[in-house]
Amino acid sequence: MPAPPAVRAWRRWPAPPGYEAQWRRLLDAALELDLGPEDLAEGGLDTVAAAREWKPATVALYSKVARYGGIGLPLPRTPEPDPLRLDLLPLTQVRDDALEHLRTVAWCSLALAWPATVGQFRALRRDQVRATAHRLVIGTPDGDWAVSGALTGWHAWEEARNRFPVLAESPWVLPALRKGPGPASRVGGQLSSQALQVTFGKHAARTAGHLRAAARPRDREAVEALATAYTSLSYDSFRRLALAAGTEPVAPRGAVRAQRRAPRREG
């Protein structure tokens, strides 16, 4: 018996509760290629992802949404950059005074020594971060983490956001800089996990462009390899790389102080 048209097939699959917007975007992307839910279950999201130029984090998100809706897709792993050890310090360097850039630099600087999940960073409040003369201290119900090497990025971001009252009053370490499509979205509000993933991807790609533009002729081959790795880098991979370099995982283990084993600069 022939399969029903894709539009009719999708009508039989209700959106999973809480993911109606993401389900609609997945549906629209599939219908552009005349794919029904059964086609996705059989062939996966590769065709749709290629047509939409989705990054690995986006593919992971819509795979999860499809599974919640009852479509049996395998959940893809975010690919590890190659090589496993990657120089992440360029992502923590202040290059200009753009708010989005400074916000992500502060995030990456914290994450090198406090490799929390996206959800933990999304929920991190400013009153949980205290600056001392030599380091930042992040306080959580599970303990305190001392973060070295993040002061420069943190102070640059704090100074920039304090020039705008709505950002200065926001309780979030990583607040929204513009109003999004959702009715509850507002400047200074809490960012979604998806927005943070997209923000990180943009920052990594822009850093790659900066590295290429600033490369000296004798360093061009090494810089190109690093920049290429950055173009596919997601925050999940960044976090795994930080952990592989010796940073303590962020977990409920009491008063754990995460310290990088490799020496790092202050500031």
Side-chain angles (χ1 to χ4, degrees):
M1 188 173 181
V7 174
R8 189 189 309 167
W10 279 106
R11 290 176 185 156
R12 302 176 181 175
W13 294 73
Y19 291 89
E20 289 81 2
Q22 293 87 346
W23 182 262
R24 183 66 209 178
R25 288 193 286 270
L26 173 63
L27 187 155
D28 290 342
L31 286 179
E32 281 186 2
L33 301 175
D34 197 31
L35 298 175
E38 292 83 359
D39 298 315
L40 296 187
E42 181 178 350
L45 285 182
D46 289 348
T47 303
V48 177
R52 288 293 182 103
E53 298 183 347
W54 284 346
K55 293 187 176 181
T58 306
V59 174
L61 169 67
Y62 286 112
S63 295
K64 179 177 72 173
V65 171
R67 289 167 66 89
Y68 287 170
I71 301 173
L73 290 180
L75 189 61
R77 291 182 58 195
T78 303
E80 292 282 2
D82 188 18
L84 182 60
R85 290 190 176 274
L86 195 69
D87 182 8
L88 301 175
L89 287 180
L91 296 165
T92 70
Q93 294 168 354
V94 176
R95 298 193 307 271
D96 57 58
D97 59 358
L99 286 174
E100 187 173 30
H101 169 71
L102 294 176
R103 183 185 63 184
T104 318
V105 164
W107 177 16
C108 291
S109 299
L110 287 170
L112 270 187
W114 192 67
T117 64
V118 167
Q120 287 171 307
F121 268 109
R122 176 177 180 263
L124 187 64
R125 302 172 69 90
R126 292 172 83 186
D127 59 14
Q128 293 178 260
V129 183
R130 176 171 56 88
T132 70
H134 302 292
R135 59 183 58 85
L136 297 173
V137 178
I138 300 176
T140 76
D142 300 315
D144 293 341
W145 278 262
V147 177
S148 299
L151 285 174
T152 297
W154 177 260
H155 287 314
W157 165 230
E158 284 285 289
E159 181 180 349
R161 70 181 290 175
N162 284 337
R163 295 198 296 266
F164 302 88
V166 68
L167 296 179
E169 295 169 3
S170 173
W172 307 111
V173 166
L174 304 175
L177 302 179
R178 58 188 64 86
K179 189 180 184 307
S185 176
R186 61 181 181 83
V187 176
Q190 190 178 26
L191 279 172
S192 67
S193 295
Q194 183 182 8
L196 281 174
Q197 292 278 19
V198 170
T199 293
F200 181 89
K202 288 165 58 178
H203 178 67
R206 288 168 179 167
T207 302
H210 170 76
L211 291 174
R212 289 184 172 116
R216 295 175 296 183
R218 65 184 182 185
D219 300 329
R220 192 154 292 156
E221 184 176 347
V223 168
E224 179 59 32
L226 181 61
T228 299
Y230 277 6
T231 58
S232 61
L233 188 67
S234 69
Y235 177 73
D236 294 330
S237 290
F238 176 99
R239 178 172 175 266
R240 287 197 292 271
L241 287 164
L243 291 168
T247 305
E248 291 282 351
V250 177
R253 295 171 54 192
V256 177
R257 284 174 166 76
Q259 300 281 0
R260 290 186 60 79
R261 297 193 179 96
R264 295 189 53 222
R265 80 224 185 284
E266 293 287 345

